[in-house]
Short mmCIF file of all heavy atoms in Angstrom, two decimals:
data_model
loop_
_atom_site.label_atom_id
_atom_site.label_comp_id
_atom_site.label_asym_id
_atom_site.label_seq_id
_atom_site.Cartn_x
_atom_site.Cartn_y
_atom_site.Cartn_z
N MET A 1 -2.27 -14.75 -12.24
CA MET A 1 -2.46 -14.35 -10.83
C MET A 1 -2.97 -12.87 -10.77
O MET A 1 -2.69 -12.11 -11.67
CB MET A 1 -1.15 -14.47 -10.06
CG MET A 1 -0.70 -15.92 -9.86
SD MET A 1 0.79 -16.03 -8.86
CE MET A 1 0.12 -15.92 -7.28
N THR A 2 -3.59 -12.59 -9.70
CA THR A 2 -4.17 -11.23 -9.51
C THR A 2 -3.05 -10.31 -9.00
O THR A 2 -2.28 -10.63 -8.12
CB THR A 2 -5.31 -11.28 -8.46
OG1 THR A 2 -6.22 -12.27 -8.94
CG2 THR A 2 -5.97 -9.96 -8.34
N ASP A 3 -3.08 -9.10 -9.55
CA ASP A 3 -2.25 -8.00 -9.01
C ASP A 3 -3.08 -7.13 -8.16
O ASP A 3 -3.99 -6.46 -8.61
CB ASP A 3 -1.64 -7.25 -10.18
CG ASP A 3 -0.70 -6.16 -9.73
OD1 ASP A 3 -0.39 -6.07 -8.54
OD2 ASP A 3 -0.25 -5.37 -10.60
N PHE A 4 -2.79 -7.10 -6.83
CA PHE A 4 -3.59 -6.30 -5.91
C PHE A 4 -3.14 -4.84 -5.84
O PHE A 4 -3.88 -4.04 -5.23
CB PHE A 4 -3.46 -6.92 -4.49
CG PHE A 4 -4.11 -8.28 -4.36
CD1 PHE A 4 -3.31 -9.41 -4.46
CD2 PHE A 4 -5.45 -8.46 -4.22
CE1 PHE A 4 -3.89 -10.70 -4.35
CE2 PHE A 4 -6.04 -9.70 -4.12
CZ PHE A 4 -5.25 -10.82 -4.17
N SER A 5 -2.07 -4.46 -6.45
CA SER A 5 -1.52 -3.11 -6.31
C SER A 5 -2.50 -1.97 -6.76
O SER A 5 -2.68 -1.03 -6.02
CB SER A 5 -0.21 -2.98 -7.04
OG SER A 5 0.78 -3.75 -6.43
N PRO A 6 -3.11 -2.08 -7.95
CA PRO A 6 -4.03 -1.00 -8.36
C PRO A 6 -5.16 -0.79 -7.38
O PRO A 6 -5.44 0.37 -6.99
CB PRO A 6 -4.54 -1.47 -9.69
CG PRO A 6 -3.50 -2.39 -10.22
CD PRO A 6 -2.97 -3.08 -9.02
N LEU A 7 -5.83 -1.84 -6.93
CA LEU A 7 -6.95 -1.70 -6.01
C LEU A 7 -6.43 -1.19 -4.67
O LEU A 7 -7.06 -0.36 -3.98
CB LEU A 7 -7.68 -3.03 -5.84
CG LEU A 7 -8.83 -3.03 -4.88
CD1 LEU A 7 -9.89 -1.98 -5.24
CD2 LEU A 7 -9.51 -4.42 -4.85
N LEU A 8 -5.30 -1.73 -4.21
CA LEU A 8 -4.70 -1.36 -2.97
C LEU A 8 -4.39 0.20 -2.94
O LEU A 8 -4.72 0.91 -2.00
CB LEU A 8 -3.45 -2.15 -2.68
CG LEU A 8 -2.70 -1.80 -1.42
CD1 LEU A 8 -3.48 -2.13 -0.17
CD2 LEU A 8 -1.39 -2.58 -1.35
N LYS A 9 -3.74 0.64 -3.98
CA LYS A 9 -3.41 2.07 -4.08
C LYS A 9 -4.63 2.94 -4.13
O LYS A 9 -4.66 4.04 -3.54
CB LYS A 9 -2.53 2.34 -5.30
CG LYS A 9 -1.16 1.77 -5.17
CD LYS A 9 -0.30 1.94 -6.39
CE LYS A 9 1.05 1.31 -6.21
NZ LYS A 9 1.94 1.49 -7.41
N LYS A 10 -5.72 2.49 -4.81
CA LYS A 10 -6.97 3.21 -4.78
C LYS A 10 -7.56 3.33 -3.41
O LYS A 10 -8.01 4.40 -2.99
CB LYS A 10 -7.95 2.53 -5.73
CG LYS A 10 -9.32 3.18 -5.88
CD LYS A 10 -10.18 2.47 -6.85
CE LYS A 10 -11.53 3.11 -6.97
NZ LYS A 10 -12.41 2.40 -7.90
N MET A 11 -7.51 2.23 -2.63
CA MET A 11 -8.03 2.19 -1.25
C MET A 11 -7.17 3.14 -0.40
O MET A 11 -7.75 3.86 0.45
CB MET A 11 -7.98 0.79 -0.72
CG MET A 11 -8.95 -0.15 -1.39
SD MET A 11 -8.73 -1.86 -0.88
CE MET A 11 -9.25 -1.74 0.82
N LEU A 12 -5.89 3.12 -0.55
CA LEU A 12 -5.00 4.00 0.22
C LEU A 12 -5.30 5.51 -0.04
O LEU A 12 -5.41 6.25 0.86
CB LEU A 12 -3.53 3.71 -0.11
CG LEU A 12 -3.00 2.37 0.37
CD1 LEU A 12 -1.62 2.13 -0.14
CD2 LEU A 12 -3.06 2.25 1.91
N LYS A 13 -5.50 5.85 -1.33
CA LYS A 13 -5.84 7.23 -1.67
C LYS A 13 -7.16 7.65 -1.07
O LYS A 13 -7.29 8.77 -0.61
CB LYS A 13 -5.85 7.39 -3.20
CG LYS A 13 -4.49 7.33 -3.85
CD LYS A 13 -4.59 7.49 -5.36
CE LYS A 13 -3.23 7.33 -6.01
NZ LYS A 13 -3.27 7.34 -7.46
N GLN A 14 -8.16 6.74 -1.11
CA GLN A 14 -9.46 7.10 -0.53
C GLN A 14 -9.36 7.33 0.97
O GLN A 14 -10.17 8.06 1.53
CB GLN A 14 -10.48 5.97 -0.86
CG GLN A 14 -10.85 5.92 -2.30
CD GLN A 14 -11.73 4.73 -2.66
OE1 GLN A 14 -11.84 3.76 -1.85
NE2 GLN A 14 -12.42 4.75 -3.79
N ALA A 15 -8.37 6.66 1.62
CA ALA A 15 -8.21 6.86 3.06
C ALA A 15 -7.37 8.03 3.42
O ALA A 15 -7.09 8.28 4.56
CB ALA A 15 -7.59 5.56 3.65
N GLY A 16 -6.89 8.78 2.39
CA GLY A 16 -6.12 9.99 2.67
C GLY A 16 -4.62 9.76 2.61
O GLY A 16 -3.82 10.72 2.84
N CYS A 17 -4.19 8.57 2.24
CA CYS A 17 -2.75 8.30 2.10
C CYS A 17 -2.27 8.81 0.78
O CYS A 17 -3.01 9.03 -0.14
CB CYS A 17 -2.51 6.81 2.18
SG CYS A 17 -3.07 6.00 3.66
N HIS A 18 -0.94 9.11 0.73
CA HIS A 18 -0.41 9.57 -0.50
C HIS A 18 1.03 9.09 -0.70
O HIS A 18 1.77 8.78 0.26
CB HIS A 18 -0.45 11.14 -0.59
CG HIS A 18 0.37 11.80 0.47
ND1 HIS A 18 -0.13 12.12 1.70
CD2 HIS A 18 1.68 12.24 0.46
CE1 HIS A 18 0.80 12.66 2.46
NE2 HIS A 18 1.90 12.76 1.69
N ARG A 19 1.48 9.06 -1.99
CA ARG A 19 2.81 8.65 -2.34
C ARG A 19 3.78 9.75 -1.96
O ARG A 19 3.58 10.91 -2.26
CB ARG A 19 2.84 8.38 -3.82
CG ARG A 19 4.20 7.85 -4.34
CD ARG A 19 4.12 7.64 -5.85
NE ARG A 19 5.38 7.20 -6.37
CZ ARG A 19 6.36 8.02 -6.71
NH1 ARG A 19 6.27 9.32 -6.52
NH2 ARG A 19 7.52 7.49 -7.16
N VAL A 20 4.88 9.37 -1.30
CA VAL A 20 5.89 10.35 -0.90
C VAL A 20 7.01 10.41 -1.87
O VAL A 20 7.44 11.44 -2.34
CB VAL A 20 6.42 10.02 0.50
CG1 VAL A 20 7.49 10.97 0.95
CG2 VAL A 20 5.27 9.99 1.55
N ARG A 21 7.53 9.20 -2.26
CA ARG A 21 8.68 9.12 -3.16
C ARG A 21 8.84 7.72 -3.68
O ARG A 21 8.12 6.82 -3.23
CB ARG A 21 9.95 9.58 -2.41
CG ARG A 21 10.31 8.70 -1.23
CD ARG A 21 11.57 9.18 -0.50
NE ARG A 21 11.74 8.45 0.74
CZ ARG A 21 12.34 7.24 0.86
NH1 ARG A 21 12.76 6.62 -0.21
NH2 ARG A 21 12.50 6.72 2.00
N SER A 22 9.80 7.57 -4.57
CA SER A 22 10.19 6.27 -5.03
C SER A 22 11.08 5.56 -3.99
O SER A 22 11.82 6.26 -3.30
CB SER A 22 10.94 6.30 -6.34
OG SER A 22 10.09 6.80 -7.38
N GLY A 23 10.99 4.29 -3.90
CA GLY A 23 11.83 3.52 -3.01
C GLY A 23 12.82 2.70 -3.79
O GLY A 23 13.08 2.99 -4.94
N LYS A 24 13.35 1.66 -3.16
CA LYS A 24 14.28 0.80 -3.84
C LYS A 24 13.52 -0.14 -4.80
O LYS A 24 12.43 -0.61 -4.48
CB LYS A 24 15.04 -0.07 -2.84
CG LYS A 24 16.01 0.74 -1.97
CD LYS A 24 16.85 -0.17 -1.08
CE LYS A 24 17.82 0.65 -0.31
NZ LYS A 24 18.71 -0.24 0.49
N GLY A 25 14.15 -0.36 -5.95
CA GLY A 25 13.49 -1.25 -6.91
C GLY A 25 12.21 -0.70 -7.43
O GLY A 25 12.17 0.43 -7.82
N ASP A 26 11.17 -1.54 -7.45
CA ASP A 26 9.87 -1.13 -7.89
C ASP A 26 8.91 -0.75 -6.77
O ASP A 26 7.72 -0.84 -6.88
CB ASP A 26 9.27 -2.19 -8.85
CG ASP A 26 9.02 -3.51 -8.09
OD1 ASP A 26 9.49 -3.65 -6.93
OD2 ASP A 26 8.37 -4.41 -8.67
N HIS A 27 9.47 -0.36 -5.60
CA HIS A 27 8.66 0.05 -4.47
C HIS A 27 8.42 1.57 -4.48
O HIS A 27 9.22 2.34 -5.02
CB HIS A 27 9.35 -0.38 -3.17
CG HIS A 27 9.32 -1.80 -2.90
ND1 HIS A 27 10.12 -2.71 -3.57
CD2 HIS A 27 8.54 -2.55 -2.06
CE1 HIS A 27 9.85 -3.92 -3.14
NE2 HIS A 27 8.91 -3.82 -2.21
N GLU A 28 7.33 1.98 -3.88
CA GLU A 28 7.07 3.38 -3.60
C GLU A 28 6.87 3.55 -2.15
O GLU A 28 6.43 2.62 -1.40
CB GLU A 28 5.76 3.80 -4.28
CG GLU A 28 5.76 3.65 -5.78
CD GLU A 28 4.39 3.98 -6.42
OE1 GLU A 28 3.39 3.96 -5.68
OE2 GLU A 28 4.34 4.19 -7.62
N ILE A 29 7.24 4.71 -1.63
CA ILE A 29 7.07 4.98 -0.17
C ILE A 29 5.80 5.90 -0.08
O ILE A 29 5.69 6.92 -0.72
CB ILE A 29 8.28 5.74 0.42
CG1 ILE A 29 9.56 4.97 0.15
CG2 ILE A 29 8.08 6.03 1.88
CD1 ILE A 29 9.57 3.53 0.74
N TRP A 30 4.89 5.42 0.74
CA TRP A 30 3.60 6.13 0.98
C TRP A 30 3.53 6.65 2.41
O TRP A 30 4.20 6.09 3.29
CB TRP A 30 2.45 5.19 0.69
CG TRP A 30 2.15 5.00 -0.77
CD1 TRP A 30 3.00 4.43 -1.71
CD2 TRP A 30 0.97 5.29 -1.46
NE1 TRP A 30 2.44 4.40 -2.93
CE2 TRP A 30 1.13 4.89 -2.78
CE3 TRP A 30 -0.27 5.87 -1.08
CZ2 TRP A 30 0.14 5.06 -3.75
CZ3 TRP A 30 -1.22 6.01 -2.05
CH2 TRP A 30 -1.02 5.64 -3.37
N TYR A 31 2.72 7.61 2.62
CA TYR A 31 2.45 8.21 3.99
C TYR A 31 1.00 8.01 4.32
O TYR A 31 0.11 8.26 3.51
CB TYR A 31 2.81 9.66 4.04
CG TYR A 31 2.38 10.28 5.35
CD1 TYR A 31 3.13 10.08 6.54
CD2 TYR A 31 1.28 11.04 5.43
CE1 TYR A 31 2.74 10.63 7.72
CE2 TYR A 31 0.85 11.63 6.65
CZ TYR A 31 1.57 11.42 7.79
OH TYR A 31 1.20 11.95 8.98
N SER A 32 0.73 7.57 5.55
CA SER A 32 -0.64 7.46 6.04
C SER A 32 -0.88 8.45 7.22
O SER A 32 -0.20 8.34 8.21
CB SER A 32 -0.91 6.05 6.56
OG SER A 32 -2.15 5.99 7.20
N PRO A 33 -1.86 9.32 7.08
CA PRO A 33 -2.21 10.19 8.20
C PRO A 33 -2.87 9.42 9.36
O PRO A 33 -2.87 9.89 10.48
CB PRO A 33 -3.14 11.20 7.58
CG PRO A 33 -3.76 10.51 6.40
CD PRO A 33 -2.66 9.57 5.86
N LEU A 34 -3.43 8.28 9.06
CA LEU A 34 -4.11 7.44 10.12
C LEU A 34 -3.07 6.88 11.09
O LEU A 34 -3.26 6.91 12.30
CB LEU A 34 -4.91 6.32 9.48
CG LEU A 34 -6.02 6.77 8.50
CD1 LEU A 34 -6.65 5.55 7.79
CD2 LEU A 34 -7.06 7.58 9.22
N SER A 35 -1.98 6.32 10.56
CA SER A 35 -0.94 5.72 11.38
C SER A 35 0.24 6.68 11.59
O SER A 35 1.15 6.37 12.32
CB SER A 35 -0.52 4.40 10.86
OG SER A 35 0.09 4.60 9.53
N ASP A 36 0.23 7.80 10.90
CA ASP A 36 1.29 8.80 10.92
C ASP A 36 2.68 8.17 10.67
O ASP A 36 3.60 8.36 11.40
CB ASP A 36 1.33 9.57 12.30
CG ASP A 36 2.23 10.75 12.24
OD1 ASP A 36 2.34 11.38 11.20
OD2 ASP A 36 2.80 11.07 13.30
N THR A 37 2.71 7.35 9.62
CA THR A 37 3.94 6.68 9.31
C THR A 37 4.14 6.47 7.78
O THR A 37 3.16 6.54 7.04
CB THR A 37 4.01 5.25 9.96
OG1 THR A 37 5.22 4.65 9.78
CG2 THR A 37 2.93 4.36 9.44
N ASN A 38 5.36 6.33 7.36
CA ASN A 38 5.69 6.00 6.00
C ASN A 38 5.84 4.47 5.89
O ASN A 38 6.26 3.82 6.81
CB ASN A 38 6.99 6.63 5.55
CG ASN A 38 6.87 8.15 5.44
OD1 ASN A 38 5.80 8.69 5.21
ND2 ASN A 38 7.99 8.84 5.57
N PHE A 39 5.45 3.93 4.70
CA PHE A 39 5.50 2.50 4.54
C PHE A 39 5.69 2.19 3.04
O PHE A 39 5.30 2.98 2.18
CB PHE A 39 4.22 1.81 5.02
CG PHE A 39 2.92 2.36 4.45
CD1 PHE A 39 2.35 1.78 3.34
CD2 PHE A 39 2.34 3.48 5.03
CE1 PHE A 39 1.21 2.32 2.80
CE2 PHE A 39 1.20 3.99 4.48
CZ PHE A 39 0.62 3.43 3.35
N PRO A 40 6.35 1.06 2.71
CA PRO A 40 6.59 0.73 1.33
C PRO A 40 5.38 0.04 0.66
O PRO A 40 4.67 -0.72 1.34
CB PRO A 40 7.77 -0.22 1.39
CG PRO A 40 7.64 -0.89 2.71
CD PRO A 40 7.00 0.17 3.63
N VAL A 41 5.19 0.34 -0.59
CA VAL A 41 4.19 -0.37 -1.41
C VAL A 41 4.80 -0.88 -2.64
O VAL A 41 5.34 -0.06 -3.42
CB VAL A 41 2.96 0.59 -1.74
CG1 VAL A 41 1.96 -0.16 -2.60
CG2 VAL A 41 2.35 1.17 -0.47
N ASP A 42 4.78 -2.15 -2.89
CA ASP A 42 5.36 -2.74 -4.07
C ASP A 42 4.44 -2.49 -5.27
O ASP A 42 3.23 -2.40 -5.09
CB ASP A 42 5.49 -4.26 -3.87
CG ASP A 42 6.38 -4.95 -4.86
OD1 ASP A 42 6.48 -4.42 -6.02
OD2 ASP A 42 7.00 -5.95 -4.54
N SER A 43 5.03 -2.35 -6.46
CA SER A 43 4.15 -2.05 -7.64
C SER A 43 3.55 -3.33 -8.20
O SER A 43 2.71 -3.21 -9.12
CB SER A 43 5.02 -1.39 -8.73
OG SER A 43 5.99 -2.26 -9.15
N ASP A 44 3.84 -4.49 -7.67
CA ASP A 44 3.31 -5.74 -8.16
C ASP A 44 3.03 -6.70 -7.00
O ASP A 44 3.84 -7.55 -6.72
CB ASP A 44 4.29 -6.35 -9.16
CG ASP A 44 3.69 -7.55 -9.87
OD1 ASP A 44 2.46 -7.63 -9.99
OD2 ASP A 44 4.47 -8.45 -10.25
N ILE A 45 1.93 -6.48 -6.30
CA ILE A 45 1.59 -7.28 -5.12
C ILE A 45 0.65 -8.38 -5.58
O ILE A 45 -0.45 -8.16 -6.07
CB ILE A 45 0.91 -6.46 -4.00
CG1 ILE A 45 1.90 -5.40 -3.54
CG2 ILE A 45 0.47 -7.37 -2.87
CD1 ILE A 45 1.28 -4.42 -2.53
N ARG A 46 1.12 -9.65 -5.42
CA ARG A 46 0.31 -10.80 -5.86
C ARG A 46 -0.23 -11.63 -4.69
O ARG A 46 -0.91 -12.64 -4.88
CB ARG A 46 1.16 -11.68 -6.77
CG ARG A 46 1.61 -10.96 -8.01
CD ARG A 46 1.79 -11.85 -9.16
NE ARG A 46 2.25 -11.16 -10.33
CZ ARG A 46 1.43 -10.71 -11.30
NH1 ARG A 46 0.14 -10.95 -11.23
NH2 ARG A 46 1.93 -10.14 -12.35
N SER A 47 0.08 -11.22 -3.46
CA SER A 47 -0.34 -12.00 -2.31
C SER A 47 -1.33 -11.20 -1.46
O SER A 47 -1.11 -10.05 -1.19
CB SER A 47 0.90 -12.28 -1.41
OG SER A 47 0.56 -12.64 -0.13
N LYS A 48 -2.47 -11.88 -1.08
CA LYS A 48 -3.47 -11.27 -0.21
C LYS A 48 -2.82 -10.88 1.14
O LYS A 48 -3.12 -9.81 1.68
CB LYS A 48 -4.62 -12.19 0.03
CG LYS A 48 -5.49 -12.41 -1.17
CD LYS A 48 -6.62 -13.38 -0.84
CE LYS A 48 -7.49 -13.69 -2.02
NZ LYS A 48 -8.62 -14.57 -1.72
N HIS A 49 -1.92 -11.75 1.60
CA HIS A 49 -1.26 -11.50 2.86
C HIS A 49 -0.45 -10.21 2.82
O HIS A 49 -0.52 -9.40 3.75
CB HIS A 49 -0.37 -12.69 3.21
CG HIS A 49 0.32 -12.55 4.48
ND1 HIS A 49 -0.29 -12.71 5.72
CD2 HIS A 49 1.63 -12.31 4.74
CE1 HIS A 49 0.62 -12.51 6.67
NE2 HIS A 49 1.81 -12.25 6.14
N THR A 50 0.26 -10.01 1.73
CA THR A 50 1.13 -8.82 1.60
C THR A 50 0.21 -7.55 1.47
O THR A 50 0.50 -6.53 2.12
CB THR A 50 2.01 -8.92 0.33
OG1 THR A 50 2.85 -10.11 0.48
CG2 THR A 50 2.92 -7.72 0.22
N ALA A 51 -0.85 -7.70 0.69
CA ALA A 51 -1.77 -6.55 0.50
C ALA A 51 -2.39 -6.12 1.83
O ALA A 51 -2.46 -4.96 2.17
CB ALA A 51 -2.84 -6.87 -0.49
N ASN A 52 -2.82 -7.10 2.64
CA ASN A 52 -3.40 -6.82 3.93
C ASN A 52 -2.34 -6.28 4.90
O ASN A 52 -2.64 -5.39 5.76
CB ASN A 52 -4.05 -8.08 4.55
CG ASN A 52 -5.39 -8.38 3.95
OD1 ASN A 52 -6.11 -7.52 3.57
ND2 ASN A 52 -5.70 -9.68 3.77
N GLY A 53 -1.09 -6.69 4.77
CA GLY A 53 -0.02 -6.14 5.59
C GLY A 53 0.21 -4.69 5.33
O GLY A 53 0.46 -3.92 6.23
N VAL A 54 0.12 -4.27 4.07
CA VAL A 54 0.25 -2.87 3.70
C VAL A 54 -0.91 -2.08 4.32
O VAL A 54 -0.68 -0.99 4.87
CB VAL A 54 0.31 -2.66 2.16
CG1 VAL A 54 0.23 -1.23 1.79
CG2 VAL A 54 1.57 -3.33 1.60
N LEU A 55 -2.11 -2.59 4.21
CA LEU A 55 -3.26 -1.94 4.82
C LEU A 55 -3.09 -1.79 6.34
O LEU A 55 -3.42 -0.68 6.87
CB LEU A 55 -4.56 -2.69 4.56
CG LEU A 55 -5.04 -2.70 3.08
CD1 LEU A 55 -6.23 -3.60 2.90
CD2 LEU A 55 -5.38 -1.27 2.64
N LYS A 56 -2.52 -2.78 6.95
CA LYS A 56 -2.35 -2.72 8.39
C LYS A 56 -1.33 -1.60 8.76
O LYS A 56 -1.54 -0.84 9.70
CB LYS A 56 -1.81 -4.07 8.91
CG LYS A 56 -1.60 -4.12 10.43
CD LYS A 56 -1.21 -5.51 10.87
CE LYS A 56 -1.05 -5.53 12.39
NZ LYS A 56 -0.65 -6.87 12.86
N GLN A 57 -0.26 -1.50 7.96
CA GLN A 57 0.74 -0.43 8.20
C GLN A 57 0.12 0.94 8.01
O GLN A 57 0.52 1.93 8.65
CB GLN A 57 1.93 -0.59 7.25
CG GLN A 57 2.81 -1.78 7.52
CD GLN A 57 3.96 -1.87 6.54
OE1 GLN A 57 4.85 -1.03 6.57
NE2 GLN A 57 3.88 -2.87 5.65
N ALA A 58 -0.91 1.04 7.13
CA ALA A 58 -1.55 2.29 6.88
C ALA A 58 -2.62 2.62 7.92
O ALA A 58 -3.26 3.66 7.88
CB ALA A 58 -2.17 2.29 5.48
N GLY A 59 -2.89 1.67 8.79
CA GLY A 59 -3.91 1.87 9.83
C GLY A 59 -5.31 1.54 9.35
O GLY A 59 -6.32 1.97 9.91
N LEU A 60 -5.43 0.71 8.30
CA LEU A 60 -6.73 0.33 7.73
C LEU A 60 -7.00 -1.16 8.01
O LEU A 60 -6.08 -1.94 8.23
CB LEU A 60 -6.70 0.56 6.23
CG LEU A 60 -6.54 1.98 5.76
CD1 LEU A 60 -6.21 2.08 4.29
CD2 LEU A 60 -7.78 2.77 6.11
N PRO A 61 -8.26 -1.54 8.01
CA PRO A 61 -8.63 -2.97 8.26
C PRO A 61 -8.35 -3.82 7.05
O PRO A 61 -8.19 -3.30 5.90
CB PRO A 61 -10.10 -2.87 8.52
CG PRO A 61 -10.58 -1.70 7.82
CD PRO A 61 -9.45 -0.68 7.92
N LYS A 62 -8.22 -5.15 7.25
CA LYS A 62 -7.97 -6.07 6.15
C LYS A 62 -9.13 -5.94 5.13
O LYS A 62 -10.27 -5.71 5.52
CB LYS A 62 -7.97 -7.49 6.67
CG LYS A 62 -6.73 -7.86 7.50
CD LYS A 62 -6.79 -9.35 7.88
CE LYS A 62 -5.62 -9.72 8.70
NZ LYS A 62 -5.72 -11.13 9.09
N ALA A 63 -8.79 -6.13 3.85
CA ALA A 63 -9.80 -6.04 2.82
C ALA A 63 -9.72 -7.18 1.82
O ALA A 63 -10.54 -7.31 0.95
CB ALA A 63 -9.71 -4.70 2.10
N PHE A 64 -8.69 -7.98 1.90
CA PHE A 64 -8.40 -9.03 0.93
C PHE A 64 -8.44 -10.39 1.58
O PHE A 64 -8.18 -10.56 2.71
CB PHE A 64 -7.08 -8.83 0.20
CG PHE A 64 -7.00 -7.50 -0.52
CD1 PHE A 64 -6.26 -6.44 0.01
CD2 PHE A 64 -7.66 -7.26 -1.70
CE1 PHE A 64 -6.15 -5.23 -0.63
CE2 PHE A 64 -7.59 -6.06 -2.39
CZ PHE A 64 -6.82 -5.00 -1.82
#
């Protein structure tokens, strides 16, 4: 199965988002200046739906 995390994190960085801290388990907490909010990013995202959900929280359009 495909792991969307590396591409997702690259897209977030290009949009100006950055990692704030570690979260619970294998999650990281990221900040988006577009949506002015913190949101969790799993280190192993295998679902297009989940990857698009993270983009939505960051204020970005669907990409997967």
Side-chain angles (χ1 to χ4, degrees):
M1 292 183 82
T2 305
D3 180 7
F4 293 100
S5 294
L7 180 57
L8 178 65
K9 290 177 182 180
K10 182 179 177 181
M11 292 172 68
L12 291 172
K13 288 178 184 176
Q14 289 174 344
C17 302
H18 63 272
R19 183 181 178 277
V20 177
R21 61 180 170 84
S22 295
K24 291 186 177 183
D26 61 351
H27 288 74
E28 298 175 343
I29 305 302
W30 283 62
Y31 172 78
S32 171
L34 301 173
S35 62
D36 192 32
T37 187
N38 290 335
F39 54 94
V41 178
D42 195 331
S43 65
D44 187 27
I45 298 175
R46 300 209 180 263
S47 162
K48 290 181 181 183
H49 180 75
T50 303
N52 283 325
V54 172
L55 290 174
K56 183 176 181 179
Q57 290 180 70
L60 297 168
K62 289 182 181 179
F64 301 104

